[in-house]
Amino acid sequence: MTARAGLSLLLVLLFAFWLALLSGLPAQAQSSVRAPDTAVNTFDDPNADGPPNTLGTESRSAFWSALKQGEIATTSSSTADGKVMQTLGEQWRLFRTQYILKYSGWVLVAVVGLLMLYYLIRGPMKIKDGRSGKMVHRFSTAHRVAHWFIAFVFLFLALSGFVIMLGRPVLTPIIGRDANAVLTSAALQGHNLFGPLFIFGLIWIFVKFVRGNFFQMVDFKWIFKLGGLFGGHVSSKKFNFGEKSWFWLLVIVGSVMSISGLIMLFPWLFEDLRFLQVSTILHAFGAVTLLAVALGHIYIGSVGMEGSLDSMVKGEVDENWAKEHHDLWYEEVVGKTAATTSDNKGESA
Ligand code: HEM
């Protein structure tokens, strides 16, 4: 069995396992406080006198259920602003369970599935002219340390965050309630500890990489040719349109996640509960978006493209890789080197 076939088989098995774990999710994520289908509905019953309650002979659960879903009713109580119930919490809870918890796992499954399919059909993008053996400097040690710092922190936060978010529906059926409780508690402590490190890493990555990541005219040509995904050569400077978009997505969505994370870490700073509710939703939505795109980035940066990992591991890339993927940058680097060499010759002459 070749290495590629072995890797493909491993990926398929991992994917099938993940799919099996997630398949229990929708049934688990249903609302737990809604009235059961068999409850007697007296909400519209014109003969039902007096305030609704659940202690009488007839169930009033449908009435309370309707209230929780936003149905307006009033009370004569002077202490409740005339409103029977504050329903925002229930709306938030339902949105979380019915959309975020239910679909976030599936979005990630779909992304991994598509990447695997692409890999199985196209395989890794090879350097067309093969490796030349001559290397060109691409990233300094400081750039690489900043990159691996945020990559490590991000992946830890993603893993612990998904244990917190999906542990109950996905992991409890496999490892049991007690083990899941211990794991989730540990994940929560780790997540709270590493969160602020992400903010530090984000500022660091911004400072180190912002140069070269502003969009330019040449990027439109890249979009037009879909980045050469389906063939054809695309010119690019140090970073292409895809890399620039990843950089700005990370900066913008990463900032939203940092702010919403801080609000959740220090909830007492905000009196209005809505800040917290919006924060939890933005945080989960941002996490799924960033992780989905990060998976694509990790694919291209490792097994998906021959020679690209060298830039972040060794700090230099093969000359043929540079010519093929970042030709305008390569010409700049060669031009600068030639100028420095001739300057030096001039000085020593
Ligand atoms: C763990 C797996 C990862 C691998 C193998 C990987 C690989 C790479 C490689 C090879 C590059 C350089 C591309 C080039 O030379 O043009 C790069 C750039 C970059 N990576 Fe990663 N990466 C990983 C994870 C991450 C994560 C998790 C993040 C962010 C949370 C991240 C953020 C970045 C950024 C911001 C750049 C610079 C892109 C630009 O400025 O346009 N990487 N990565």
Side-chain angles (χ1 to χ4, degrees), residues 9-146:
L9 188 67
L10 187 72
L11 286 175
V12 170
L13 287 176
L14 274 175
F15 187 61
F17 180 64
W18 191 5
L19 215 60
L21 289 189
L22 276 166
S23 57
L25 187 57
Q28 299 278 336
Q30 275 166 14
S31 175
S32 57
V33 296
R34 290 277 189 84
D37 292 343
T38 49
V40 180
N41 180 4
T42 58
F43 185 46
D44 295 327
D45 183 355
N47 300 318
D49 296 327
N53 67 78
T54 51
L55 301 175
T57 49
E58 286 176 310
S59 165
R60 297 296 174 90
S61 54
F63 172 84
W64 289 109
S65 180
L67 279 187
K68 281 175 188 163
Q69 289 169 68
E71 189 76 45
I72 306 283
T74 52
T75 173
S76 55
S77 161
S78 56
T79 56
D81 286 342
K83 243 181 143 188
V84 171
M85 187 185 277
Q86 196 270 80
T87 58
L88 211 63
E90 173 67 354
Q91 283 164 13
W92 164 81
R93 203 186 64 78
L94 286 179
F95 184 79
R96 210 174 117 78
T97 47
Q98 288 181 350
Y99 294 99
I100 293 182
L101 294 190
K102 193 166 165 183
Y103 295 114
S104 53
W106 289 112
V107 169
L108 299 177
V109 165
V111 172
V112 174
L114 284 175
L115 288 174
M116 278 171 51
L117 201 68
Y118 185 80
Y119 180 79
L120 293 176
I121 295 172
R122 292 281 310 251
M125 261 185 252
K126 295 270 181 201
I127 302 174
K128 280 196 193 86
D129 297 332
R131 288 181 186 262
S132 70
K134 273 195 226 154
M135 302 301 271
V136 185
H137 176 76
R138 186 155 169 83
F139 293 122
S140 67
T141 309
H143 280 92
R144 284 178 282 145
V145 173

Side-chain angles (χ1 to χ4, degrees), residues 138-139 147-148 151 154-155 209 213 239 243-244 246-247 250 297-298 301 308-309 311-312 321 326:
R138 186 155 169 83
F139 293 122
H147 174 266
W148 291 119
F154 176 87
L155 291 176
F209 284 85
N213 267 310
F239 298 115
E243 289 169 321
K244 288 176 183 176
W246 168 228
F247 173 81
L250 178 65
H297 168 75
I298 292 169
S308 78
L309 194 57
S311 69
M312 271 304 164
W321 182 92
H326 298 274

